[in-house]
Amino acid sequence: VSQETLFEDGLWVTAVRDSVVGFGMDITGRGSEFVFPVEFIASCLEELRLIFTQASPSNEESIPGDWTFTVLLDAQVPFKQSFEAVYNAMEREKHTSMGGMGSNRRLQMMETAVSMLESYVDGSLANRPGYQDANFLILKAAIDKVRLEVLSIPENVSVLERRLENVEQKATELAKYS
């Protein structure tokens, strides 16, 4: 990325993604002396995504909600660890918001969580590398965790509930093939 680009241009997104994925792939399976700092990286990537989305002049420029999650999966971080790291980063945001977090932001966070689950099951059904490590029980636990949070949101969440049902059906399909 050249020095003349602006953060808001988003030209850094691909370079950051490629660096994280390369770093993850380089140290995966290297032994216990190498540690990929998943929680730290997830937190940093999610913060960058949020700031960029807020600074971006239009929705066309924004980074998808599941970007941090898919970067971690592409870096060979297992589903459970990737999901928990991004979910925890969102939870930290919820707890550090001054005056509490509005239900609209909570709704956006749950849309991101549902998108993460959708991208994983779709990638798994498509035999995408890095998307086959979660068994049905791990997926079901993540789905239930998100469902509980979704149901606590006062707005109409019927669309998210349907998306979660669809994810659960696909997870059941995956369990049949395992």
Side-chain angles (χ1 to χ4, degrees), residues 8 29-30 37 41 46 52 54 72 77 87 94 97 110-111 126 153 155 159 164 178:
E8 294 84 0
R30 286 258 185 115
I41 289 173
E46 191 59 14
F52 177 71
Q54 293 166 356
L72 292 174
V77 177
Y87 197 89
K94 186 167 82 172
S97 296
M110 289 305 100
E111 286 173 349
I153 298 172
E155 282 85 13
V159 171
L164 279 170
S178 299

Side-chain angles (χ1 to χ4, degrees), residues 27-35:
I27 65 170
T28 298
R30 286 258 185 115
S32 62
E33 67 271 7
F34 294 95
V35 177

Side-chain angles (χ1 to χ4, degrees), residues 2-166:
S2 82
Q3 294 177 340
E4 297 148 15
T5 63
L6 298 173
F7 178 79
E8 294 84 0
D9 293 339
L11 298 175
W12 57 270
V13 174
T14 302
V16 168
R17 181 205 171 284
D18 292 347
S19 294
V20 171
V21 169
F23 176 56
M25 293 179 83
D26 283 348
I27 65 170
T28 298
R30 286 258 185 115
S32 62
E33 67 271 7
F34 294 95
V35 177
F36 189 71
V38 177
E39 289 281 335
F40 174 74
I41 289 173
S43 183
C44 292
L45 291 177
E46 191 59 14
E47 189 171 345
L48 278 173
R49 186 190 70 78
L50 287 170
I51 292 168
F52 177 71
T53 301
Q54 293 166 356
S56 173
S58 72
N59 285 340
E60 294 173 14
E61 300 293 323
S62 68
I63 302 171
D66 64 347
W67 179 73
T68 300
F69 176 70
T70 58
V71 169
L72 292 174
L73 288 176
D74 291 343
Q76 306 301 307
V77 177
F79 166 82
K80 184 176 181 184
Q81 197 175 3
S82 296
F83 181 83
E84 289 297 325
V86 177
Y87 197 89
N88 290 342
M90 292 188 300
E91 282 291 308
R92 278 190 297 280
E93 178 194 348
K94 186 167 82 172
H95 293 296
T96 59
S97 296
M98 294 198 53
M101 178 175 288
S103 60
N104 189 40
R105 178 64 189 125
R106 284 180 54 218
L107 182 61
Q108 289 173 338
M109 289 169 59
M110 289 305 100
E111 286 173 349
T112 295
V114 172
S115 293
M116 292 185 328
L117 293 168
E118 288 170 332
S119 66
Y120 184 81
V121 294
D122 290 343
S124 193
L125 286 168
N127 291 318
R128 189 169 168 196
Y131 288 68
Q132 276 86 40
D133 68 314
N135 64 36
F136 178 75
L137 294 176
I138 292 172
L139 280 171
K140 179 75 169 121
I143 293 165
D144 290 344
K145 182 177 197 168
V146 172
R147 182 175 283 129
L148 280 173
E149 186 73 25
V150 165
L151 293 174
S152 73
I153 298 172
E155 282 85 13
N156 182 355
V157 292
S158 59
V159 171
L160 284 179
E161 289 178 288
R162 280 194 299 277
R163 288 172 60 195
L164 279 170
E165 288 171 15
N166 190 32

Side-chain angles (χ1 to χ4, degrees), residues 171-178:
T172 302
E173 273 183 55
L174 286 170
K176 290 178 187 175
Y177 300 125
S178 299

